[in-house]
Amino acid sequence: MKRIYISIVVAVIFSFFFVSCYYDNEEALYPTLSNTCDTTNVTYSGKIAPILNNSCTGCHSGSIPSGSILLTNFASVQTIASSGLLMNALNGNGVNVMPPSGSLPACNKTQFQIWVTAGIPNN
Ligand code: HEC
């Protein structure tokens, strides 16, 4: 009887490891990033800044941002976008792909490209 009880406890504990993996995917964590990715009405405040806040500012903020690239305010994002460095980093084009953990979903990169092509508006 005691042995059965112990195996049930062990089985329950192990099942947590499997269950916990389910939510560990991008779509479940950030539904706004890929599932509902909308390439119409791409604005800085509505689309670009939220992606930067979700995927980039963990490293690119504060007084010593990674690579000296600050992505927390429009002016500095504008500078990096104008030079072409932003799109190059998103596409891993000649520089390390950003975020380093793996490229953003294609639709999000399309949103960035639409915004850059529109002239990098502060809207
Ligand atoms: C886990 C930390 C981390 C995250 C998240 C991250 N970066 Fe970076 N980024 C770095 C580091 C470290 C460097 C400097 C070294 C390098 O280029 O790899 C860098 C460099 C850069 C550069 C300069 C590239 C160059 O070679 O001059 C740009 C632009 C950039 N990141 C943009 C972004 C954008 C946009 C995002 C979000 C989509 C992002 N990063 C997410 C750590 C990060």
Side-chain angles (χ1 to χ4, degrees):
M1 191 59 193
K2 195 176 177 192
R3 190 172 291 180
I4 292 172
Y5 177 72
I6 290 171
S7 7
I8 291 172
V9 169
V10 168
V12 167
I13 291 172
F14 268 93
S15 70
F16 282 123
F17 289 103
F18 293 106
V19 172
S20 64
C21 295
Y22 173 74
Y23 293 104
D24 193 16
N25 70 66
E26 203 167 31
E27 285 77 13
L29 288 171
Y30 309 113
T32 52
L33 285 187
S34 32
N35 284 354
T36 59
C37 184
D38 177 5
T39 52
T40 59
N41 302 320
V42 175
T43 59
Y44 179 73
S45 58
K47 302 265 160 64
I48 303 302
I51 299 173
L52 293 174
N53 289 336
N54 266 321
S55 308
C56 316
T57 56
C59 299
H60 295 284
S61 64
S63 52
I64 312 172
S66 289
S68 302
I69 300 285
L70 190 62
L71 296 174
T72 47
N73 66 76
F74 178 79
S76 69
V77 175
Q78 181 186 39
T79 305
I80 294 150
S82 309
S83 72
L85 188 55
L86 182 66
M87 288 316 299
N88 284 344
L90 291 174
N91 291 316
N93 184 12
V95 295
N96 290 336
V97 71
M98 290 289 145
S101 57
S103 181
L104 289 178
C107 180
N108 292 133
K109 293 195 282 187
T110 303
Q111 291 173 318
F112 273 90
Q113 188 58 63
I114 289 169
W115 175 71
V116 168
T117 305
I120 311 172
N122 186 4
N123 52 9

